[in-house]
Amino acid sequence: GIRARAILVAVHFAPRFRFPAMLARLATSIMCCMMVISAGSDLVTPTGPESLPPAGSAAAYLPWWWCQAKHWPWWLCQPKPSPRCDRAPLVCEGVARALGAGENGNLPNGALTMDRFNEVWLPRSIQQAPVRQAVSGDDFGIVVQLDNTTTFMGLVQGEAEIASLNAVRRAFAGENFAYFELLNGSWLSAGDNGDGELGLGFSSDDLIMVPRLVQGLEGLEVRQAALGDEHAIFVLTNGSVIGVGDNTDGELGLNSSQDQTVPVRLPVEGVQFAAAGEDFSLLVLEDGTVLVAGENNDGQLGLGPEAGTQDVRVFMPIPGLPRHVIAAAAGDDFSLFLTDDGYVYGAGENDDGELGLPGTESRASPVQIPIENVRQIEAGDDFSVFVMCDGTVFATGENSNGQLGIGSFEDQFEPVQIPYLENVRCADVGPDSEHVYYLSEAGSDTYTTEVEGEATEEQEDQEEGQRGDAKSLHGAILFP
């Protein structure tokens, strides 16, 4: 039909052209125009399933708009291109300014930012000098300085602090414990060890505040680590995975409920990214599929309503997720999934708007969140953070401690932009954390304020005062 007519038209005009190359270009142009016209006509009269190409055909080489015009499933064509967006680093690190928002603590040694307020509802600086990394635990944070030393902020439990270290390459934080990769390749751990999450070969109710060597990680090349409430996942450069700690709900995918006090290899290969939440784990494979295991009481594993709410003790693939997932985030009882074209899907609890979806009911299957052009996702204790391709940041969910950084304590039930926060490279949020850290390009203009006070019953008056200060600053320089 269309192709034949295009060829006849090209042949008819052939004598008018002296060079065969010009004839070829003309024929190609006419054929492309005819295909577009044909596709446009199909929008008026949709084709049915009987018009789908046969299995194993060359349809996968067609452009994205062809499947859209033909009303074919999206996976039969090439993916729709998206604006260029460099992917956020696997580990949030780099020479940058560090800011924090949310629960802050009111003890002299308990503050997570330079302030001593109980809550910080607009992103504020952690320190004046640039940092290499800032990671968030439950009620504490760890900063890796440019000289590879660490600074501990906040408290693990009671009044306990993890001792500072030297020669640290990267740090990772769970609910009440942390891991440190040293420049020589060794790994240390410290904090709570009630379920063996420190990988030291034993469990103990006593806190370990001086980091100890983790023998089970010696000699391993770790690409990325994900620390949950009481378990840890380590993704190796060869795609294999190591797990340790709490396994009561099957979060290690070992088909048992026995905790692991030393790092053990998990029965999965080809993994490029991991996320650890409150008693569940998410593994993103190199082919873009996602495997899940652990607690599923709110549908956070995204396995659908037919899976029920029982624990899953072996890693299972999520049905219904689009292809090419590149990252995941695991929060309290919900999950986020980021695709390579910048779209985000969510599953699990939504009581406080953490999924950014209408209503407050949980979602047992992944649902697309109304946000796009996202380069990084982070999930905390009932709130979500989205770092955009342009360096701005959006957030949604619980905001009782100002963790959304929007200048108020009101929960949000759809993603809203954090004011004055720009040029953000990446963010870090713990799965049970009520605060968040941001790394912003060093020397960039980022909002800060000098409001004094904290959340009290006079919260309304204080909110009004902070709004006034925010209007007067209009994006002041972070620090001179």
Side-chain angles (χ1 to χ4, degrees), residues 151-363:
T151 301
F152 185 86
M153 299 177 297
L155 302 170
V156 175
Q157 288 181 6
E159 297 186 4
E161 299 182 55
I162 295 177
S164 297
L165 291 171
N166 299 316
V168 174
R169 180 189 173 201
R170 296 183 294 181
F172 301 89
E175 181 181 19
N176 290 309
F177 70 107
Y179 274 77
F180 305 88
E181 181 186 15
L182 303 184
L183 295 177
N184 64 6
S186 296
W187 285 80
L188 307 180
S189 63
D192 189 8
N193 194 37
D195 295 287
E197 55 263 50
L198 298 187
L200 302 175
F202 64 92
S203 60
S204 172
D205 292 334
D206 297 329
L207 297 177
I208 297 176
M209 293 295 96
V210 178
R212 299 187 184 183
L213 180 67
V214 183
Q215 295 283 357
L217 295 179
E218 286 294 293
L220 300 181
E221 295 184 3
V222 177
R223 174 190 300 167
Q224 178 239 346
L227 276 58
D229 272 18
E230 288 97 17
H231 74 289
I233 304 289
F234 301 88
V235 180
L236 306 187
T237 55
N238 63 5
S240 57
V241 185
I242 303 295
V244 67
D246 185 23
N247 193 38
T248 306
D249 299 290
E251 49 263 56
L252 298 183
L254 297 171
N255 198 23
S256 73
S257 58
Q258 182 176 354
D259 296 344
Q260 302 296 316
T261 61
V262 295
V264 296
R265 192 173 296 271
L266 305 186
V268 183
E269 297 292 337
V271 177
Q272 70 167 357
F273 190 88
E278 183 180 4
D279 303 327
F280 68 101
S281 304
L282 313 173
L283 303 180
V284 180
L285 303 187
E286 294 170 352
D287 63 3
T289 59
V290 181
L291 304 181
V292 296
E295 189 177 55
N296 195 37
N297 56 309
D298 283 295
Q300 57 264 50
L301 299 186
L303 296 174
E306 62 278 1
T309 58
Q310 63 269 25
D311 297 340
V312 176
R313 302 189 183 281
V314 295
F315 282 106
M316 299 181 60
I318 298 181
L321 261 182
R323 62 180 176 182
H324 301 137
V325 172
I326 60 173
D332 189 12
D333 286 316
F334 70 101
S335 302
L336 303 175
F337 308 95
L338 175 65
T339 64
D340 62 356
D341 51 5
Y343 293 100
V344 181
Y345 294 76
E349 187 180 47
N350 193 41
D351 292 350
D352 299 291
E354 51 264 63
L355 296 183
L357 298 170
T360 57
E361 66 273 14
S362 299
R363 305 302 205 275

Side-chain angles (χ1 to χ4, degrees), residues 339-404:
T339 64
D340 62 356
D341 51 5
Y343 293 100
V344 181
Y345 294 76
E349 187 180 47
N350 193 41
D351 292 350
D352 299 291
E354 51 264 63
L355 296 183
L357 298 170
T360 57
E361 66 273 14
S362 299
R363 305 302 205 275
S365 298
V367 179
Q368 185 171 348
I369 296 174
I371 193 169
E372 57 184 23
N373 295 332
V374 178
R375 71 187 301 258
Q376 186 198 12
I377 50 176
E378 287 290 310
D381 186 6
D382 301 329
F383 74 101
S384 302
V385 173
F386 311 95
V387 179
M388 312 301 289
C389 290
D390 62 3
T392 59
V393 181
F394 285 69
T396 185
E398 185 182 359
N399 195 34
S400 58
N401 289 294
Q403 55 264 52
L404 300 188

Side-chain angles (χ1 to χ4, degrees), residues 36-57:
V36 172
I37 294 172
S38 175
S41 65
D42 288 332
L43 291 175
V44 180
T45 308
T47 57
E50 66 278 359
S51 303
L52 293 178
S57 69

